[in-house]
Amino acid sequence: MEKAKISAIQLFILMVLFELGSALLVPLAIRAKQDAWLAILLGMLGSFVLFLVYHKLHTYYPNLLPTEYMQKILGKVLGTVLAFIYILYFMYDASRVLRDFGEMLLTFAYPDTPLFIANALLMLVIVYTVRKGIEVIARSGELLFIFMYVLAVAGFILIISSGLIQIKNLQPVLEDGLLSPVKVALSETLYFPFTEAIVFTMILPYLNNPKKAKVTMLCATGLSGINLVITMLINVSVLGVNLTTRSQFPLLSTIASIQVADFLERLDVFFMLAMVIGIFFKVTILFYAATIGTANLFKIKSPSMLGYPLGIVILFLSVTIASNFQEHLHEGLYIAKFILHIPLFTIIPPILLFIAFLRKRRIREANMSE
């Protein structure tokens, strides 16, 4: 494990950037129509319960990476297999987010550029950053977090100034009843983007004040959830449900609609800069977790050695993962949910916690009997 420490505020910033990441890019929870904001809110609240499970596991083994304590809980063989599955998932998720970046860049500005080239440019920067370690990643987050929020506030003010918001597009509330947003929350927003942050269990051992871990995780998720709620409220109120559903990148369409006094217009670059920042940190954190997890699992003393080989794997996977963007979205929303998200986020962690609890209680009872 790398000898480094980060502060609670740095963890908070990284989590917010991670959860916003590619979630700002897509029409999140739009299956709930004008109640998409409510589905996001419910998904956020549901993720709090799972974060408490992840945190409790961390408190049982505060100085160990999940790849280590899985072996202590399940035994050497089964624990190693499960740890390897999580590492593969981190790499797979990183490749999916990298694909999101490439598709956005090609749609926005470089339609004739090969997808491989666009992804490779970002991946080179990410590999360099990961090789520098978690402290450099955290410090970069502090700087770019401020810049991203300046863009967000400026964009919000300009949208209001343009008079684009139509509150009637958000009505009627709960047209199909409460069941519709609940279903979307349980099938979509609970997993993407909130419980994807299970990757931060690989970073919690680096926190310089472990007592702040739980509050930091919950507050970061709360802030990112509120930001996503506001974003979807704006998208639907500006574009309407039908256009938001049809748009590949609804936030891009919203920002492209800004026109103030026939002077400020075509502010799409705001969108692209914010997306590049969010996607950069999401891929970086997933890639870093995969790197240190692989080094820990296979007893490699220098995790930085794995940067280029694992980076190449993620790069090629991002290009070959789907033949087009629609297939890519379908795979993420439906196939990956059942095969990966539900078992890895909601089933396995509580089982691990239950077994760890029984082991701790057995050890405690044995010590008391002595």
Side-chain angles (χ1 to χ4, degrees), residues 2 16 19 29 38 44 77 133 147 160 164-165 187 191 194 198 207 273 283 291 301 306 309 312 329 348 358 360:
E2 181 186 355
V16 172
E19 291 180 349
L38 183 56
M44 178 194 75
V77 176
F147 180 64
I160 294 176
L164 295 171
I165 293 178
S187 64
Y191 313 106
F194 298 114
I198 192 174
L207 193 61
L273 287 174
V283 179
T291 301
K301 293 184 179 180
L306 298 170
I312 291 171
L329 291 177
I348 292 175
L358 293 180
K360 290 289 183 182

Side-chain angles (χ1 to χ4, degrees), residues 134-155:
I134 189 63
E135 289 184 346
V136 171
I137 296 171
R139 290 181 192 135
S140 302
E142 288 180 294
L143 293 174
L144 293 175
F145 179 80
I146 297 171
F147 180 64
M148 187 173 179
Y149 265 83
V150 168
L151 290 178
V153 172

Side-chain angles (χ1 to χ4, degrees), residues 187-237:
S187 64
E188 183 179 334
T189 55
L190 177 63
Y191 313 106
F192 173 77
F194 298 114
T195 50
E196 274 185 313
I198 192 174
V199 67
F200 281 91
T201 57
M202 297 291 291
I203 295 175
L204 288 180
Y206 296 113
L207 193 61
N208 60 11
N209 189 350
K211 293 180 180 179
K212 295 182 178 180
K214 179 167 68 175
V215 174
T216 302
M217 292 174 72
L218 296 179
C219 289
T221 302
L223 178 61
S224 59
I226 291 169
N227 288 338
L228 291 172
V229 165
I230 293 172
T231 300
M232 280 309 296
L233 282 171
I234 290 173
N235 285 339
V236 174
S237 64

Side-chain angles (χ1 to χ4, degrees), residues 19 42-52 54 189-190 194-195 218 221:
E19 291 180 349
L42 292 173
M44 178 194 75
L45 294 175
S47 70
F48 286 168
V49 178
L50 291 170
F51 280 133
L52 293 176
Y54 308 156
T189 55
L190 177 63
F194 298 114
T195 50
L218 296 179
T221 302

Side-chain angles (χ1 to χ4, degrees), residues 66-85 297 352:
T67 48
E68 294 175 292
Y69 65 63
M70 285 177 189
Q71 297 176 54
K72 287 186 174 294
I73 294 172
L74 298 176
K76 185 73 174 177
V77 176
L78 193 57
T80 299
V81 171
L82 183 60
F84 188 63
I85 289 172
L297 199 61
L352 289 175

Side-chain angles (χ1 to χ4, degrees), residues 48-353:
F48 286 168
V49 178
L50 291 170
F51 280 133
L52 293 176
V53 173
Y54 308 156
H55 176 261
K56 190 64 177 177
L57 273 169
H58 169 68
T59 60
Y60 280 156
Y61 306 95
N63 299 315
L64 300 181
L65 294 171
T67 48
E68 294 175 292
Y69 65 63
M70 285 177 189
Q71 297 176 54
K72 287 186 174 294
I73 294 172
L74 298 176
K76 185 73 174 177
V77 176
L78 193 57
T80 299
V81 171
L82 183 60
F84 188 63
I85 289 172
Y86 272 94
I87 290 169
L88 290 178
Y89 169 73
F90 295 149
M91 294 177 65
Y92 169 77
D93 201 18
S95 69
R96 287 194 57 81
V97 181
L98 187 62
R99 177 62 177 264
D100 290 335
F101 165 80
E103 294 284 357
M104 177 200 71
L105 203 63
L106 267 57
T107 301
F108 171 75
Y110 305 106
D112 298 325
T113 302
L115 180 65
F116 179 84
I117 299 300
N119 289 0
L121 291 173
L122 181 64
M123 201 63 211
L124 280 172
V125 180
I126 289 171
V127 169
Y128 175 80
T129 307
V130 167
R131 284 171 60 88
K132 292 297 181 181
I134 189 63
E135 289 184 346
V136 171
I137 296 171
R139 290 181 192 135
S140 302
E142 288 180 294
L143 293 174
L144 293 175
F145 179 80
I146 297 171
F147 180 64
M148 187 173 179
Y149 265 83
V150 168
L151 290 178
V153 172
F156 181 70
I157 292 172
L158 289 172
I159 288 170
I160 294 176
S161 303
S162 299
L164 295 171
I165 293 178
Q166 302 292 328
I167 300 298
K168 65 180 182 181
N169 288 334
L170 299 170
Q171 298 170 340
V173 177
L174 296 178
E175 180 182 15
D176 299 321
L178 184 60
L179 190 60
S180 176
V182 169
K183 283 181 178 178
V184 175
L186 292 176
S187 64
E188 183 179 334
T189 55
L190 177 63
Y191 313 106
F192 173 77
F194 298 114
T195 50
E196 274 185 313
I198 192 174
V199 67
F200 281 91
T201 57
M202 297 291 291
I203 295 175
L204 288 180
Y206 296 113
L207 193 61
N208 60 11
N209 189 350
K211 293 180 180 179
K212 295 182 178 180
K214 179 167 68 175
V215 174
T216 302
M217 292 174 72
L218 296 179
C219 289
T221 302
L223 178 61
S224 59
I226 291 169
N227 288 338
L228 291 172
V229 165
I230 293 172
T231 300
M232 280 309 296
L233 282 171
I234 290 173
N235 285 339
V236 174
S237 64
V238 172
L239 303 176
V241 172
N242 291 333
L243 187 54
T244 304
T245 304
R246 294 197 304 269
S247 177
Q248 279 189 340
F249 310 120
L251 187 57
L252 172 60
S253 302
T254 299
I255 294 176
S257 303
I258 294 175
Q259 187 174 6
V260 180
D262 295 323
F263 173 67
L264 285 173
E265 56 183 13
R266 299 300 301 170
L267 300 174
D268 314 48
V269 69
F270 274 27
F271 169 83
M272 191 179 77
L273 287 174
M275 288 301 97
V276 169
I277 292 170
I279 288 173
F280 168 79
F281 279 100
K282 190 162 187 175
V283 179
T284 298
I285 291 162
L286 287 164
F287 182 38
Y288 179 78
T291 301
I292 61 171
T294 303
N296 176 262
L297 199 61
F298 296 102
K299 311 301 180 188
I300 299 172
K301 293 184 179 180
S302 178
S304 61
M305 293 172 53
L306 298 170
Y308 288 110
L310 292 185
I312 291 171
V313 171
I314 290 173
L315 175 60
F316 277 95
L317 189 59
S318 72
V319 178
T320 58
I321 203 169
S323 58
N324 54 60
F325 191 55
Q326 285 68 33
E327 182 183 327
H328 169 68
L329 291 177
H330 177 78
E331 181 182 312
L333 286 174
Y334 300 103
I335 300 173
K337 177 180 67 178
F338 293 106
I339 298 176
L340 297 172
H341 296 165
I342 292 177
L344 295 182
F345 298 166
T346 64
I347 297 176
I348 292 175
I351 292 174
L352 289 175
L353 180 60

